[in-house]
Amino acid sequence: MLGISGSLRKASYNAAALRTAQALAPAGMTIEIFDLAPLPLYNEDVKAIGFPPVVQELRAKIKAADALLFACPEYNYSMSGVLKNAIDWASRPPDQPFDDKPVAMLGASPSALGTGRAQYHLRQSCVFLNMHVLNKPEVMIAAAHTKFDDKGTLTDEPTRGFIRDLLTNLAAWTRRIQRH
Ligand SMILES: Cc1cc2nc3c(=O)[nH]c(=O)nc-3n(C[C@H](O)[C@H](O)[C@H](O)COP(=O)(O)O)c2cc1C
């Protein structure tokens, strides 16, 4: 699986949630995390010359992954520009790598709604790119500042359980899609 966090900050709750998923992955599943920090901003003039190497790497890793796991911060009721920029780069033809890909998502925010609005925007982009998004569980980590410790460890046991369920369901969902 390939994990992609839409936040670049060191103490990011979303990056921490992704690392938690990495640690909680069930037997047979490994999650590699792709760092979006080196990606340039999307520019069609640059694309016309050729995908920058880091974008080529991202596209190749998406293509090769059995499934994707997005960690989706909420910025102004939508996904972060960092995440949207990465999706925009990776999505350009030819051979767009998201096509037919099983996907799950989670998100963390200090607010009470825990990235729900952003995740629904992300789902919309996933639909357009023909990804197959796992419906449930929806992992929306509200009041994130109360659920992670200073070291970025997710200490809230019910939330750890939701992430475990998400990964178990993603593994089954991936097998189901690969069979067809
Ligand atoms: C530009 C900006 C817009 C934000 N808008 C929202 C928002 O609409 N809803 C929300 O719950 N949190 C919002 N926040 C707060 C973020 O959820 C919070 O900064 C969170 O920690 C970001 O994720 P991270 O910890 O992974 O970096 C916003 C933060 C920024 C910087």
Side-chain angles (χ1 to χ4, degrees):
M1 310 270 159
L2 189 69
I4 296 175
S5 166
S7 173
L8 304 182
R9 76 187 186 97
K10 258 193 221 105
S12 160
Y13 296 122
N14 286 280
L18 200 53
R19 287 195 301 274
T20 303
Q22 215 175 16
L24 295 178
M29 180 190 285
T30 51
I31 302 174
E32 180 191 354
I33 295 177
F34 191 93
D35 178 14
L36 297 182
L39 255 73
L41 286 176
Y42 185 80
N43 182 334
E44 188 77 21
D45 297 340
V46 174
K47 153 77 173 69
I49 298 163
F51 288 114
V54 64
V55 175
Q56 286 179 30
E57 191 193 348
L58 174 62
R59 285 166 55 91
K61 290 204 169 189
I62 291 168
K63 184 98 188 160
D66 288 329
L68 306 178
L69 177 61
F70 289 119
C72 177
E74 182 164 290
Y75 279 12
N76 297 316
Y77 282 21
S78 189
M79 73 185 99
S80 65
V82 167
L83 182 55
K84 184 64 164 51
N85 181 60
I87 291 173
D88 291 343
W89 263 123
S91 69
R92 301 311 290 154
D95 203 18
Q96 77 91 346
F98 293 119
D99 187 45
D100 226 18
K101 194 69 67 182
V103 168
M105 63 183 68
L106 49 73
S109 153
S111 83
L113 293 179
T115 76
R117 295 161 294 213
Q119 288 193 37
Y120 270 82
H121 278 185
L122 174 56
R123 280 176 188 265
Q124 195 174 317
S125 293
C126 292
V127 168
F128 175 63
L129 294 168
N130 198 33
M131 293 181 239
H132 304 298
V133 187
L134 182 72
N135 285 333
K136 292 206 169 171
E138 294 185 312
V139 180
M140 297 168 175
I141 307 172
H145 53 293
T146 67
K147 293 177 179 155
F148 293 84
D149 69 15
D150 294 349
K151 295 193 178 72
T153 304
L154 179 60
T155 49
D156 186 65
E157 203 42 59
T159 307
R160 293 176 70 85
F162 288 135
I163 292 178
R164 270 194 208 94
D165 292 347
L166 181 78
L167 297 174
T168 304
N169 289 7
L170 177 60
W173 181 232
T174 301
R175 284 194 296 274
R176 200 163 137 186
I177 289 164
Q178 286 174 343
R179 270 201 304 273
H180 288 90

